Amino acid sequence: MAATTPRVLRLLALLQDRSYTGRELADRLEITERTVRNDISRLRELGYPVHADRGAIGGYRLGRGATMPPLLLDDDEAVAVALSIAVAADGALAVSDLGDQLTRALRKIEQILPKRLQRKVSALHDATEIGPATTGSREPDAPVAAGILTTLADAVRRTTAVTVDDGVELEPYRLINWQRRWYLVAYSMRGHAWEAIPAARITTATAGSRVFAPRRLPDDDLVAFVMRHIATTGWRVHARVTVLAPAETVIARINPAVGVVEPVDAHTCLLHTGADAMETIAIYLSMLMMDFRVDGPPELVAHLRTLARRYTESTPP
């Protein structure tokens, strides 16, 4: 018969999954139903609210109590919880007064994680930067398999190449988490160019053995590199606009989801923006309430000229 303490912990792990009859628990643990009842009593004494349902389909289930008892997590669950807390603690969860609690919870989990699991958590945490907080509408979620994220993060940590999907070899440098979406900043050996790759598009990622020498980054701020990529490639139509105002003034009016601002001088900046239609970009520009000059595309210039004519003709002389 298994030692009492390990057996009770196994019983607790089963009850955290679903409800079981006494006979099912006895069979799973290879003990008698009387021992099951005794172990249930031990759990209750420790503060675990184990409920017993009577009847032909009755059984034991773990319920809610007055206090929060310890939980048992398997390997995958522990990694998932630790990763979620780590990302939230870095600011991805926009709740102002949870920082200390998240840090304490993460510290407790990390203290007991086996080294093989700790490496997965720390690799993703160290390889990730958080994008800017935004208000208003949010992009739809783009979930990524945890295995792909941990593979990419480990490759970032070890500076080793990875092969994704149809044989494309990448040199991964950073993971960016923004609005519940993940982006990989990597140097592609196929196009020999820097890319900001939506991680949700990666269906397979295989760690390689080639260790690469770090290249000169495309931007000192890789979060800004990804934001610029989203603003310039993540919409159906895009535009480049020179705004006759300081960059910090324009940044205060622009959501990173629809535009990236680059300073030109103390009084001028470039706005890279996008939308689902040129008409929407025209509305964005009018809402800036600033002077601007459209550098492209020609379709936006033509649309603005049409709007200017209509506005002019709509007002009395």
Side-chain angles (χ1 to χ4, degrees):
M1 182 179 294
T4 301
T5 299
R7 187 184 66 238
V8 172
L9 290 176
R10 287 183 59 200
L11 172 61
L12 175 60
L14 289 172
L15 292 175
Q16 287 181 164
D17 182 34
R18 64 177 178 85
S19 63
Y20 289 87
T21 65
R23 181 71 265 163
E24 288 175 327
L25 291 172
D27 291 342
R28 292 288 295 271
L29 298 173
E30 298 180 348
I31 57 178
T32 66
E33 291 189 59
R34 179 180 178 181
T35 303
V36 168
R37 290 192 293 271
N38 291 335
D39 287 348
I40 291 294
S41 296
R42 291 188 178 95
L43 285 177
R44 288 169 175 162
E45 291 172 358
L46 292 171
Y48 292 95
V50 181
H51 301 316
D53 297 325
R54 299 183 180 277
I57 58 174
Y60 297 101
R61 58 184 174 84
L62 195 62
R64 293 186 177 89
T67 60
M68 179 65 189
L71 297 177
L72 292 181
L73 303 174
D74 62 25
D75 287 1
D76 291 340
E77 291 169 343
V79 170
V81 170
L83 290 179
S84 299
I85 293 175
V87 172
D90 277 342
L93 183 65
V95 180
S96 61
D97 56 353
L98 288 183
D100 292 342
Q101 293 92 323
L102 290 170
T103 300
R104 291 199 304 270
L106 181 60
R107 188 183 300 118
K108 290 178 181 179
I109 293 178
E110 288 180 335
Q111 284 177 345
I112 61 174
L113 279 179
K115 288 185 177 179
R116 57 189 173 81
L117 301 182
Q118 174 59 39
R119 283 194 291 268
K120 290 184 178 182
V121 175
S122 60
L124 184 57
H125 181 262
D126 295 342
T128 300
E129 292 186 39
I130 306 299
T134 59
T135 58
S137 61
R138 181 170 61 81
E139 290 293 287
D141 292 349
V144 185
I148 289 178
L149 280 180
T150 53
T151 297
L152 295 175
D154 188 58
V156 171
R157 180 178 61 86
R158 297 188 298 114
T159 62
T160 54
V162 292
T163 301
V164 300
D165 298 339
D166 55 349
V168 179
E169 188 181 53
L170 302 174
E171 295 178 355
Y173 281 77
R174 207 71 176 154
L175 284 164
I176 307 297
N177 178 256
W178 178 69
Q179 284 199 347
R180 297 169 64 102
R181 288 176 168 238
W182 292 87
Y183 295 85
L184 173 68
V185 178
Y187 187 85
S188 172
M189 302 307 295
R190 170 180 289 182
H192 293 284
W194 288 96
E195 297 184 11
I197 304 167
R201 297 181 185 174
I202 300 175
T203 56
T204 61
T206 305
S209 58
R210 182 175 70 85
V211 178
F212 60 86
R215 300 175 184 269
R216 183 177 178 180
L217 297 175
D219 194 306
D220 292 336
D221 186 345
L222 292 183
V223 172
F225 174 75
V226 171
M227 292 296 99
R228 186 163 56 251
H229 166 82
I230 296 172
T232 56
T233 66
W235 300 95
R236 291 182 181 178
V237 293
H238 300 89
R240 176 186 166 104
V241 180
T242 298
V243 183
L244 307 181
E248 57 270 19
T249 302
V250 179
I251 289 173
R253 301 289 299 273
I254 292 293
N255 188 312
V258 297
V260 171
V261 179
E262 297 178 355
V264 175
D265 54 40
H267 308 288
T268 310
C269 62
L270 288 176
L271 169 62
H272 303 272
T273 187
D276 289 333
M278 287 297 174
E279 294 81 359
T280 305
I281 295 180
I283 294 173
Y284 287 158
L285 295 176
S286 66
M287 293 173 64
L288 278 177
M289 300 299 290
M290 303 174 191
D291 293 335
F292 61 88
R293 180 179 64 250
V294 176
D295 302 321
E299 293 83 0
L300 178 58
V301 174
H303 181 66
L304 289 173
R305 285 174 177 165
T306 299
L307 288 178
R309 176 184 58 79
R310 288 174 180 169
Y311 289 152
T312 301
E313 293 176 354
S314 68
T315 57

